Amino acid sequence: MAAELPADDSTLCEFRPSPIHGTGGFARRRIEPETRVLQYRGELVSKEESLRRCQKNNTFLFYFDEAHDLDGQAAWNPARFLNHSCSPNCEARKLGQEIWIVAIRAIEPGEEITFDYGYDLEDYQDYPCRCGSPACRGYMVDTTLARHITRRALDP
Ligand SMILES: [Zn+2]
């Protein structure tokens, strides 16, 4: 894969080719539940700017608050490499003014770090899933609609 590897800024996570998709993040050592694994960094943009970027097929836009989204499509956001799983070991949480990928169970060394992207149901056919989990839904869908912004959700 041609994408540049992110700068190594985490002692918990390393990046290498993933059986799920492209490059993924893998645990360097055992990670305990509730550990902050990686910060999901990005550029804070207005909803209007977010919509423009969404329409250019940017899938790294994260709901941040009522007025802003976070655009994680940047070289300095290695968390953008983390893959989706339908049986994830992490979840994205907003902690204060930051979004963190937090372990929701113990993660063994070498295990791929995943979280549930939770894309909007109406867009689900755009996002087939190859996570390999026995609980795989086949698509990166979620009914909470809360975490990721989608093109459909931003339609007027
Ligand atoms: Zn899946």
PDB file of all heavy atoms in Angstrom, residues 29 36 55 64 73 83 89 142:
ATOM      1  N   ARG A  29       1.632  -4.221  23.183  1.00  0.00           N
ATOM      2  CA  ARG A  29       1.658  -5.010  24.415  1.00  0.00           C
ATOM      3  C   ARG A  29       0.230  -5.099  24.921  1.00  0.00           C
ATOM      4  O   ARG A  29      -0.677  -4.525  24.333  1.00  0.00           O
ATOM      5  CB  ARG A  29       2.591  -4.373  25.441  1.00  0.00           C
ATOM      6  CG  ARG A  29       2.240  -2.941  25.791  1.00  0.00           C
ATOM      7  CD  ARG A  29       3.100  -2.468  26.961  1.00  0.00           C
ATOM      8  NE  ARG A  29       2.622  -1.178  27.440  1.00  0.00           N
ATOM      9  CZ  ARG A  29       3.252  -0.022  27.208  1.00  0.00           C
ATOM     10  NH1 ARG A  29       4.350  -0.001  26.498  1.00  0.00           N
ATOM     11  NH2 ARG A  29       2.767   1.105  27.685  1.00  0.00           N
ATOM     12  N   ARG A  36      -6.715   4.701  27.350  1.00  0.00           N
ATOM     13  CA  ARG A  36      -6.743   5.556  26.164  1.00  0.00           C
ATOM     14  C   ARG A  36      -5.633   5.086  25.233  1.00  0.00           C
ATOM     15  O   ARG A  36      -4.457   5.205  25.563  1.00  0.00           O
ATOM     16  CB  ARG A  36      -6.474   7.006  26.541  1.00  0.00           C
ATOM     17  CG  ARG A  36      -7.537   7.603  27.429  1.00  0.00           C
ATOM     18  CD  ARG A  36      -7.177   9.044  27.692  1.00  0.00           C
ATOM     19  NE  ARG A  36      -8.107   9.643  28.641  1.00  0.00           N
ATOM     20  CZ  ARG A  36      -8.221  10.949  28.836  1.00  0.00           C
ATOM     21  NH1 ARG A  36      -7.448  11.792  28.163  1.00  0.00           N
ATOM     22  NH2 ARG A  36      -9.091  11.430  29.699  1.00  0.00           N
ATOM     23  N   GLN A  55     -18.746  15.789   0.792  1.00  0.00           N
ATOM     24  CA  GLN A  55     -19.140  15.641  -0.605  1.00  0.00           C
ATOM     25  C   GLN A  55     -17.940  15.328  -1.490  1.00  0.00           C
ATOM     26  O   GLN A  55     -18.101  14.929  -2.629  1.00  0.00           O
ATOM     27  CB  GLN A  55     -19.865  16.905  -1.074  1.00  0.00           C
ATOM     28  CG  GLN A  55     -21.272  16.973  -0.479  1.00  0.00           C
ATOM     29  CD  GLN A  55     -21.942  18.320  -0.637  1.00  0.00           C
ATOM     30  OE1 GLN A  55     -21.273  19.336  -0.807  1.00  0.00           O
ATOM     31  NE2 GLN A  55     -23.266  18.323  -0.573  1.00  0.00           N
ATOM     32  N   PHE A  64     -18.334  16.308  16.392  1.00  0.00           N
ATOM     33  CA  PHE A  64     -17.626  16.840  17.558  1.00  0.00           C
ATOM     34  C   PHE A  64     -18.597  17.517  18.514  1.00  0.00           C
ATOM     35  O   PHE A  64     -18.670  17.162  19.684  1.00  0.00           O
ATOM     36  CB  PHE A  64     -16.537  17.822  17.116  1.00  0.00           C
ATOM     37  CG  PHE A  64     -15.648  18.256  18.247  1.00  0.00           C
ATOM     38  CD1 PHE A  64     -14.646  17.420  18.728  1.00  0.00           C
ATOM     39  CD2 PHE A  64     -15.821  19.494  18.837  1.00  0.00           C
ATOM     40  CE1 PHE A  64     -13.848  17.813  19.788  1.00  0.00           C
ATOM     41  CE2 PHE A  64     -15.014  19.889  19.893  1.00  0.00           C
ATOM     42  CZ  PHE A  64     -14.027  19.053  20.366  1.00  0.00           C
ATOM     43  N   GLN A  73      -8.688  13.381   8.517  1.00  0.00           N
ATOM     44  CA  GLN A  73      -7.918  12.983   7.331  1.00  0.00           C
ATOM     45  C   GLN A  73      -6.632  13.806   7.230  1.00  0.00           C
ATOM     46  O   GLN A  73      -6.517  14.724   6.434  1.00  0.00           O
ATOM     47  CB  GLN A  73      -8.751  13.170   6.066  1.00  0.00           C
ATOM     48  CG  GLN A  73      -8.112  12.531   4.842  1.00  0.00           C
ATOM     49  CD  GLN A  73      -9.021  12.591   3.644  1.00  0.00           C
ATOM     50  OE1 GLN A  73      -9.564  13.625   3.309  1.00  0.00           O
ATOM     51  NE2 GLN A  73      -9.212  11.457   2.988  1.00  0.00           N
ATOM     52  N   ASN A  83      -8.939   0.300  11.885  1.00  0.00           N
ATOM     53  CA  ASN A  83     -10.024  -0.296  11.115  1.00  0.00           C
ATOM     54  C   ASN A  83     -11.294  -0.473  11.927  1.00  0.00           C
ATOM     55  O   ASN A  83     -11.268  -0.536  13.156  1.00  0.00           O
ATOM     56  CB  ASN A  83      -9.580  -1.652  10.561  1.00  0.00           C
ATOM     57  CG  ASN A  83      -8.784  -1.506   9.276  1.00  0.00           C
ATOM     58  OD1 ASN A  83      -9.185  -0.780   8.364  1.00  0.00           O
ATOM     59  ND2 ASN A  83      -7.655  -2.189   9.208  1.00  0.00           N
ATOM     60  N   ASN A  89     -12.594  -3.864  19.869  1.00  0.00           N
ATOM     61  CA  ASN A  89     -12.004  -3.893  21.209  1.00  0.00           C
ATOM     62  C   ASN A  89     -11.846  -2.480  21.779  1.00  0.00           C
ATOM     63  O   ASN A  89     -11.398  -2.311  22.902  1.00  0.00           O
ATOM     64  CB  ASN A  89     -10.675  -4.664  21.218  1.00  0.00           C
ATOM     65  CG  ASN A  89      -9.744  -4.233  20.104  1.00  0.00           C
ATOM     66  OD1 ASN A  89      -9.773  -3.069  19.691  1.00  0.00           O
ATOM     67  ND2 ASN A  89      -8.928  -5.151  19.618  1.00  0.00           N
ATOM     68  N   ASP A 142     -24.541   1.023  12.078  1.00  0.00           N
ATOM     69  CA  ASP A 142     -24.872   1.134  13.481  1.00  0.00           C
ATOM     70  C   ASP A 142     -26.193   1.887  13.545  1.00  0.00           C
ATOM     71  O   ASP A 142     -26.479   2.689  12.670  1.00  0.00           O
ATOM     72  CB  ASP A 142     -23.772   1.909  14.213  1.00  0.00           C
ATOM     73  CG  ASP A 142     -24.010   1.948  15.700  1.00  0.00           C
ATOM     74  OD1 ASP A 142     -24.424   0.922  16.258  1.00  0.00           O
ATOM     75  OD2 ASP A 142     -23.789   2.992  16.304  1.00  0.00           O
TER      76      ASP A 142
END
